[in-house]
Amino acid sequence: EAVEGVSVAAVNGPHTTVVSGEVAALEVLVERCAAREVRCRWIPVDYASHSGQVEGIEGELLECLAGIEAGPGEVPLYSTLAGAVVDGAVMGPRYWYENLRHTVEFQDTIRALLDDGHRLFVEISPHPVLSTGLHDILDHTDTDTDTGTGAGGESGVRAVVLDTLHRDQAGAHRFHTALAAAQVHLHTPHWHTRT
């Protein structure tokens, strides 16, 4: 049953959902989860992104972002707001407000990438937080509904998931290890410089 004051902040996989909202409402939800033996973990942050609380700063945020002029990109951009490819030209101030206010559709976005044939995923962050959800999505994506490159007869899709940094292993060595892993999986990085 729904708890008033709580929003679905992110759908990161079939078994991973992040909620956000008022502290008292989240405490009620955590108690209900514990009573039903549903695993949950409190993430200590002092803001409620992707919830109704963002509406209180809509005007201020749009004013701060007013100078942004969006333009088309050269590389397809899969938006976790839309769960699909979007034209960079739509990514003006209103887009970024909506992105902060609404649910992060990570699972739908990854499935869109899979449907379009992508099989290499590299998480670039100070510590991998989405790789677990990504593996879960891959394990629960029926090969009949994607491009058909899953393991023969097995459920799930074959793909490479790499992370570039870890909390205790930051630095160039860890990043280069990820690039080497991509090479081992037959994905050759191409580096070039634009001027």
Side-chain angles (χ1 to χ4, degrees):
E1 84 192 66
V3 176
E4 189 174 339
V6 173
S7 299
V8 175
V11 179
N12 287 341
H15 299 106
T16 309
T17 301
V18 179
V19 296
S20 180
E22 301 167 8
V23 172
L26 291 170
E27 288 171 345
V28 168
L29 181 62
V30 168
E31 287 175 14
R32 288 184 184 175
C33 288
R36 294 184 176 123
E37 297 183 0
V38 173
R39 183 179 177 271
C40 66
R41 183 170 55 102
W42 191 280
I43 302 171
V45 293
D46 57 359
Y47 53 89
S49 297
H50 311 292
S51 79
Q53 290 188 356
V54 174
E55 293 169 9
I57 63 166
E58 178 179 3
E60 179 183 351
L61 189 58
L62 290 174
E63 185 179 328
C64 288
L65 300 175
I68 292 178
E69 292 185 26
E74 295 180 18
V75 175
L77 188 137
Y78 289 75
S79 164
T80 57
L81 175 61
V85 174
V86 298
D87 185 322
V90 305
M91 299 178 78
R94 172 60 53 184
Y95 173 89
W96 291 109
Y97 165 74
E98 298 292 337
N99 189 59
L100 185 62
R101 166 59 184 93
H102 295 288
T103 303
V104 176
E105 301 292 352
F106 183 74
Q107 177 175 258
D108 287 349
T109 306
I110 294 301
R111 287 195 170 141
L113 284 156
L114 291 169
D115 287 346
D116 289 347
H118 296 278
R119 294 296 185 267
L120 173 64
F121 298 90
V122 181
E123 181 170 358
I124 301 172
S125 65
H127 188 74
V129 293
L130 296 173
S131 294
T132 300
L134 197 82
H135 282 290
D136 198 20
I137 294 165
L138 294 171
D139 290 345
H140 290 86
T141 298
D142 186 0
T143 56
D144 293 338
T145 61
D146 77 314
T147 57
T149 58
E154 299 174 10
S155 64
V157 175
R158 284 188 184 166
V160 178
V161 179
L162 302 173
D163 43 75
T164 55
L165 298 174
H166 281 258
R167 195 172 290 119
D168 300 323
Q169 301 173 357
H173 175 75
R174 181 72 191 111
F175 189 79
H176 291 143
T177 300
L179 293 177
Q183 180 78 40
V184 167
H185 289 284
L186 307 179
H187 297 279
T188 305
H190 294 284
W191 301 102
H192 58 84
T193 303
R194 286 192 169 174
T195 56

